Every structure is written in structure tokens, then in C-alpha cells.
Amino acid sequence: MRFLQATRTVRTQNLAALASLFSLLLLPALSAAQEFPAKPIRLIVPFPPGGPNDIIARVVGQRMSELTRQPIVIDNRGGQAGVLGTDAVAKAAPDGYTIGIVSASALVISPSMEKVAYDVAKDFAPVTLVVTVPEMLVVTSNVPANNMAELIALAKAQPGKLNFASAGVGGLPHLAGELFKQTAKIDIVHVPYRGAAPAINDLLGQQVQMTFLDLPVILPHIKAGTLRPIALGAPARAPTAPDVPTTAEVGMPGLLIENWYGMIAPGGTPPAIVARLNSIATAAMGDPAVKEKLADQGLTVVGDTPEHFRSFIGSETAKWAKVINDAGLATAK
């Protein structure tokens, strides 16, 4: 009996020692997270200045800087539909001092279409989903269709005759058009452009007939009456375009198309630092002035947990990978 008691005593002492050792090892990480950030943070934007991604980063980054009393330095790294700048985040030191606000195209679409230099599941630590922005289907003023039913009927009556513009091969507007083709079972021809601006120019010149684009980009043309709205690919109507029905309202609930931008850190960033970044970012996004500035751009502020954002990336990947495969757009990897 004394032997058993002695054994238990030794075991208890060993467990206590291990617990103490674990606490000592954990203290530096917890201390670092509490003190973070202690120097400026570089925020990579994988697109040139002036676009929606850049606007989002500057508005949110400014408030994060105010909250942390540390500079948030915007680093624009445009190229390859956001892939190059996103790869720069993947290759940065995993210490929380380099982060990025990146788009769906770089995290979901490009990796599903072609070989990229990073592995989304391994090379990034999701921080938070920042904003969503719905895609709107519009047609030119000379297209004899005022609603979704009339547009689908027109496309079916003239297979291969109608064109849809996009801001480039593999971007969300391109895949939105492909999903529209698959959902409505119609034959329309893709015409890619080098960005939204030239696509809109040819729409206004009536050289192409329709497009899906971010709501803020085409809203001025809708208000001017030069482009006719058909449906919004969002769960609810947009406050900036309350008269435009959603795709679900016009009988196409599967045509849910929203662009989105999320904050990521390099893979291997300590969970405590990721949690701290999430806390700072969501606090910034919860600021009424930040919400108002982004709402003026037609953006909906989200803010979620790293775990939920990782799950969201997975579900979006599965959704768009199917569209890509069904359309035969994937290249050999």
C-alpha cells in the first residue's frame, strides 16, 4: 500500500512538473501576443492603388493603426489577378507583421484553375473575412430584355449570338457568366477584357451585350440609364439599388455570386498572434465610420473568426472548382 501511495505521489509530482514546464514554455507566446504589435505592420494589397481591394485595405488599415498606435504600411503588389501579391504574403515571415487583404480570385479561383506557387490550406493563416460585394447582371440598353425570364428566352432563341464581357479570364465576373450559362442552360459567348474599365467601355458602345460585375463598378451606369439591371447575385437586395431583384427572387437561387476580400497571415503564424490580429481587425470593422465608408462603396462588412473564414474558403473553393471543371477551364497542374 505504501508503495502504491509513493508511486501516486511521484506521478502527481511529475504531472505538476510537466504542467509547470508547459506554462513556462507558453508564457513567451502569450506575452508576445499581448504586446503585439510592437512595430509597424505591412499590409499587402495584391492589386494596384485605387481599386476596391486597395480602398478596403486603406480604410480598415487606417482604423487598425489608430487602435494599435502602430503604422499599417500599405504595400501594393499587383499582378496575375492578385496571385503575385498573395504569394508575397505566403513567403513572408510568420510573425504577424506581414498580412494581406486578398480576393476570392487569388484564394479560390486561380488555385482551382491553374498551378500557383502557394498551397492555400498550408501557406496561409486565415484571419477574418472582411467584406463581400455582390455581382450584378446587367445588359446594354439595346438588348430587348427587361428581366431574367426575357433574357434567358432571348439567349435560347439565339444560341451563340449573345456575348458577355468579363474583367479577364478566371476572374469572378468570368465565372459568374459561366455559372449563368450552366444554371440557365444557355449558350452565350465569353469576351474577356483587361479589367472592368475596358469591359464597361465596350458595353456602353454596345459591342457586347451583358456582364456580371461588382455592384459599385456598374452602379453609376445603372443610375445613368446606360446599362439595364437584371438581377443581383446576393442573398438580399442592395440598399444602393433597392429596385433590383436578387437572383433568388427571379427563380435562380443557385446563381448566388458575391465577390469577397479577406485578411490572411502567412502559414505558421502563432495562433495567439492570429487571434490578436482578428481582434484588432474586427474591432476596426465594427467602427461605424469604417462601415459607412465601405457601405458607400457598395460593400458589406463581415468580420468573423479565423475558423469560420477557413471553412468559408473551403466551401467557396468547392463551389467554384465545380463551375471551373464543368466549363472545362482548368489547366494541367
Side-chain angles (χ1 to χ4, degrees), residues 146-224:
N146 295 301
N147 53 52
M148 183 67 83
E150 292 178 359
L151 180 59
I152 292 174
L154 181 65
K156 287 185 175 181
Q158 303 176 30
K161 299 295 184 182
L162 298 181
N163 298 329
F164 74 95
S166 82
V169 174
L172 195 64
H174 174 200
L175 293 191
E178 296 293 342
L179 182 58
F180 181 39
K181 288 170 60 176
Q182 295 169 15
T183 305
K185 296 179 172 56
I186 56 176
D187 179 13
I188 55 178
V189 179
H190 175 222
V191 181
Y193 289 84
R194 290 180 177 270
I200 289 175
N201 285 339
D202 273 10
L203 281 161
L204 297 177
Q206 300 182 350
Q207 297 179 50
V208 283
Q209 288 83 46
M210 70 186 83
T211 191
F212 281 91
L213 282 177
D214 287 5
L215 174 59
V217 174
I218 55 179
L219 192 58
H221 305 286
I222 293 171
K223 291 181 176 179

Side-chain angles (χ1 to χ4, degrees), residues 229-289:
I230 298 296
L232 184 73
R237 295 194 182 199
T240 50
D243 296 329
V244 181
T246 66
T247 48
E249 288 179 299
V250 297
M252 303 186 76
L255 199 61
L256 182 61
I257 307 163
E258 289 187 294
N259 202 352
W260 51 266
Y261 299 87
M263 183 178 293
I264 57 172
T269 301
I273 297 295
V274 173
R276 176 69 176 138
L277 284 167
N278 176 269
S279 175
I280 298 166
T282 52
M285 289 184 282
D287 185 277

